[in-house]
Amino acid sequence: ASVAASNIAAVERSLQMAERRGAGESYSRIGDLGLHDEEMILSVWGPVVSATCVVMESASDPNAIDCVFEGVEVLASVTGNLKIFEALDYLVVVLSQQTNLSAPFLSSSSSSALLLLGRSDKAQRSLINLAHIILEHGDHLRTSWSKGVHCLVTLLSCDMVRVEFASSTSKRRSGEEGRTRKAADVSISFSPIASPKPSDASVGHYNAAREAMKKIKLEAVITKLANLELSSLLPLVNALVPVITKNGAEVVEEEEKHLADKSGKSSMKETQKRQAMALRLLLYIVNNNQHRISALWPWIFHGLSPSIENASTPKELVDMMVVGLLQIGNNAMSTRPQVIGDVVGILWLMNNLNEELFSSLAEGSMPHIFTIVQRNLSSIRLGKLCDAIISVLERMARNPTTSAVALEALAMIVFEESKIASANFVRIVKACGLFAVALTNDDMSRKSVDLIFAAHLKVLSSEKRRALGVKEDFFLFPDGSSSAQQSTYALWMHVVETIQKVCLESRSLRDRRDYALLTYERVVLCSFPEEMTDQQWIRFFEQVLLKLVAEMLDEVEDKPCPNLEKNVFRAWSLACLVLQTHYRRISEAGCFTQVWSALKVCTETYFKRNSNPITSDCAPHHLSALIDTLEGDEDFHAKFTEVIDELWSEAVHICPSIHHHQKQIKRVRSFVPDLHSLQETLHNVTGH
């Protein structure tokens, strides 16, 4: 039926050619064959090729074999020059079958395939003619690549051949026809069969197979594959993908129908070797066709990506697929922006791999991920690439071999000056906190904490720009969000909560916790958003300042340590200092009583659960300074006289030693009658 359809197509083409001849066009000269009537060739090629192939399959006489291969050469030359694609595909399919290197022998051992090749002169000549057609007429092949690549992959993956693919370079002038490209160097060497050791009777067959492979010039054939026209290149890529992704168990099951005795383990191993070689060949071809990546990318991505998440895919193959797709996708994004969505898909596939698979490919894929970050900072900060790339970087941070580069990539994202989506900012700050906890190196952990502080400065800078009337905001908030001030507060709160969590998560590492706590103090004391509601102040105290004190108190009870006690005191005194500094803003927001009530409960718990010299000697001074500041503000004192008196009584109840400290303060005031005026002056100068 296929031949009949081809004959019908040929007749139609011959009629079209006859019409052109009637218009006065001259005959064509084809190679060294002289003048040919193209209409006649187009009409009769089907039966001629069919007859030649039948004789090729059945001939055993040497003279008949010589005659048929001479005919194959003539047919290839004629049909190739006339661009009769169907005829060339037919020849390639039959020649591939005669080599004994294609299906159904996909999982047989490479030594067995070479032995079959070396035993048959017909198979060797078929291989030589097949290579000649690829070299001379490869641009005209279409459907036959599915058979041809099996032969080529079998040869390249056998134990006798060593293949090295070098890095690729591509140059392109204007236009497809005017391009000049230099394919990457391919190095192929041959070695004797080492395992299993051949018998004396088989040595001659292996040598014959080696000589046949040398005659076909594998380097030239592979280079030709990388320089095919696009109309032939796409079918080639489409033929390689199934060889790479086909499940080894399926191959074995299919071949059991053809071969009686098989070794399953050997079959799986040989199949994986062919898959790996086919993937290397595919990556080589694509990397030498970067100017065609827009056409090639969908075939590669949609062909390979399902195998990455397939549990039956060998680990080595998954590594090669992920690294190869990242490399190709990285180059494709510059010319095909829509590829970004597919790269996001690759990153999520990579992130969903189990720990063993991820660790094995982390080092190989990290350079490509770093380049993706370097080239697409704006897309990461504004687009959907952010979550995927940050998730992968977080896993890279846990790997000692990639943590430093992952931190550098994260720092580039943080310090980039372009606009950033608010949701992406939250995601990046969260990643900085995870880096600070997960990194095993103390210096890198501190750098991660510094990134959190840098993010905090970005928030404050944005608010100052808004206060100065700058219309362009540093952050891009989603449509329908609350006011810019409220949205900025949410970002600032997220930064503060992140550094607070770092202080708690780093509890087992003293130096890291001290540095995180120092940065936490810098963030809290540096500046606050201009506008904060009563609920925001209450949330800040309860969920950030006082929560840190409560968490640290639990830690001290579990594991008493002088350094931990000092850190609890720092956290509690910071809460007192914030209230002492911002009591006017808090009272104007109408939540001073609620804030003080929360601080009072925390202070009472602190004195009860953490009885030590630091608490008894230092804490009363901070508590007294807080209340004394409130009492020294005449306007505040006049408005909240009863509240301040109640504060003193509650403070004395919590800490009786504060009464003695209060007497000392009053004694000083008796000698400095203008103390209130001095305090007011200091407040006007310092703002505290």
Side-chain angles (χ1 to χ4, degrees), residues 556-612:
V556 170
E557 288 186 349
D558 295 337
K559 185 180 178 181
C561 174
N563 189 65
L564 295 180
E565 295 171 355
K566 183 184 70 173
N567 288 334
V568 177
F569 171 73
R570 289 173 63 181
W572 173 82
S573 62
L574 181 62
C576 294
L577 185 57
V578 170
L579 181 59
Q580 182 179 350
T581 305
H582 299 283
Y583 66 92
R584 285 194 176 186
R585 292 185 58 186
I586 295 173
S587 63
E588 290 171 359
C591 58
F592 179 83
T593 304
Q594 294 93 318
V595 170
W596 165 251
S597 298
L599 179 60
K600 180 189 69 174
V601 173
C602 177
T603 302
E604 188 173 4
T605 304
Y606 170 60
F607 275 83
K608 287 181 178 180
R609 297 175 58 184
N610 195 44
S611 179
N612 56 69

Side-chain angles (χ1 to χ4, degrees), residues 78-93:
V78 173
T79 56
N81 282 279
L82 289 177
K83 299 181 181 179
I84 306 177
F85 305 146
E86 301 90 339
L88 284 172
D89 285 332
Y90 196 0
L91 286 174
V92 167
V93 169

Side-chain angles (χ1 to χ4, degrees), residues 53 225 283 330 468 516 550 618:
C53 293
L225 298 182
L283 296 177
N330 187 16
L468 293 174
C618 302

Side-chain angles (χ1 to χ4, degrees), residues 314-370:
K315 180 172 69 70
E316 295 76 10
L317 207 60
V318 172
D319 294 355
M320 293 176 62
M321 286 181 184
V322 171
V323 174
L325 286 174
L326 284 175
Q327 180 183 5
I328 298 169
N330 187 16
N331 296 325
M333 282 193 291
S334 58
T335 58
R336 186 182 168 97
Q338 57 268 39
V339 170
I340 292 180
D342 294 337
V343 173
V344 170
I346 297 171
L347 293 172
W348 282 122
L349 287 176
M350 180 180 177
N351 194 52
N352 292 333
L353 295 174
N354 60 50
E355 196 61 36
E356 180 184 2
L357 282 174
F358 189 91
S359 299
S360 66
L361 61 85
E363 189 170 2
S365 60
M366 189 64 238
H368 302 297
I369 293 175
F370 183 85

Side-chain angles (χ1 to χ4, degrees), residues 393-655:
L393 289 179
E394 287 175 341
R395 294 193 69 178
M396 291 290 185
R398 300 185 179 96
N399 192 311
T401 60
T402 58
S403 56
V405 182
L407 178 60
E408 186 177 352
L410 182 64
M412 283 196 302
I413 299 173
V414 172
F415 290 121
E416 168 67 17
E417 293 297 329
S418 61
K419 184 174 289 189
I420 184 171
S422 58
N424 291 346
F425 177 83
V426 171
R427 184 69 182 87
I428 292 168
V429 171
K430 180 181 178 182
C432 293
L434 187 143
F435 269 64
V437 176
L439 291 173
T440 57
N441 183 279
D442 289 344
D443 290 337
M444 290 194 295
S445 178
R446 285 192 287 270
K447 290 179 181 178
S448 303
V449 174
D450 290 338
L451 292 181
I452 302 175
F453 187 75
H456 169 253
L457 295 180
K458 294 275 188 181
V459 176
L460 297 183
S461 174
S462 175
E463 189 173 53
K464 289 181 179 179
R465 286 164 55 89
R466 192 183 304 111
L468 293 174
V470 179
K471 294 183 179 180
E472 185 178 0
D473 200 342
F474 182 75
F475 295 99
L476 180 64
F477 297 104
D479 296 336
S481 60
S482 56
S483 65
Q485 289 84 359
Q486 298 301 317
S487 300
T488 303
Y489 164 80
L491 298 180
W492 175 84
M493 189 69 175
H494 178 71
V495 173
V496 176
E497 289 177 334
T498 300
I499 190 64
Q500 178 225 50
K501 291 177 182 177
V502 174
C503 295
L504 295 173
E505 293 293 338
S506 301
R507 59 186 62 180
S508 59
L509 302 170
R510 174 177 175 177
D511 293 339
R512 294 190 187 188
R513 180 177 49 209
D514 289 346
Y515 191 78
L517 192 56
L518 175 62
T519 306
Y520 172 74
E521 293 170 340
R522 293 170 62 195
V523 168
V524 171
L525 295 177
C526 179
S527 180
F528 279 75
E530 291 295 329
E531 297 182 10
M532 290 180 63
T533 65
D534 56 342
Q535 295 301 319
Q536 290 172 348
W537 278 111
I538 294 173
R539 179 191 170 194
F540 173 67
F541 269 85
E542 292 182 348
Q543 299 298 321
V544 179
L545 295 175
L546 305 182
K547 182 179 179 180
L548 180 61
V549 178
E551 294 283 347
M552 287 187 169
L553 283 174
D554 293 338
E555 181 185 359
V556 170
E557 288 186 349
D558 295 337
K559 185 180 178 181
C561 174
N563 189 65
L564 295 180
E565 295 171 355
K566 183 184 70 173
N567 288 334
V568 177
F569 171 73
R570 289 173 63 181
W572 173 82
S573 62
L574 181 62
C576 294
L577 185 57
V578 170
L579 181 59
Q580 182 179 350
T581 305
H582 299 283
Y583 66 92
R584 285 194 176 186
R585 292 185 58 186
I586 295 173
S587 63
E588 290 171 359
C591 58
F592 179 83
T593 304
Q594 294 93 318
V595 170
W596 165 251
S597 298
L599 179 60
K600 180 189 69 174
V601 173
C602 177
T603 302
E604 188 173 4
T605 304
Y606 170 60
F607 275 83
K608 287 181 178 180
R609 297 175 58 184
N610 195 44
S611 179
N612 56 69
I614 297 178
T615 305
S616 58
D617 295 342
C618 302
H621 295 278
H622 285 76
L623 191 58
S624 177
L626 166 62
I627 301 177
D628 188 58
T629 300
L630 301 178
E631 193 176 35
D633 187 332
E634 293 182 356
D635 295 336
F636 186 85
H637 185 272
K639 186 176 181 180
F640 295 94
T641 302
E642 295 181 0
V643 174
I644 293 177
D645 292 340
E646 184 179 349
L647 293 184
W648 274 117
S649 61
E650 292 174 346
V652 171
H653 174 72
I654 296 173
C655 178

Side-chain angles (χ1 to χ4, degrees), residues 38 49 73 95 109 111 126 128 172 190 194 235 265 271 379 439 500 505 513 526 568 576 582 654 678:
E38 294 182 18
V49 172
E73 293 176 4
L95 289 171
S109 65
S111 58
S126 297
I128 294 172
R172 185 182 181 184
F190 297 90
K265 293 184 178 179
T271 301
S379 298
L439 291 173
Q500 178 225 50
E505 293 293 338
R513 180 177 49 209
C526 179
V568 177
C576 294
H582 299 283
I654 296 173
L678 176 61

Side-chain angles (χ1 to χ4, degrees), residues 196-204 206:
K197 187 176 181 180
S199 61
D200 294 338
S202 303
V203 171
Y206 286 127

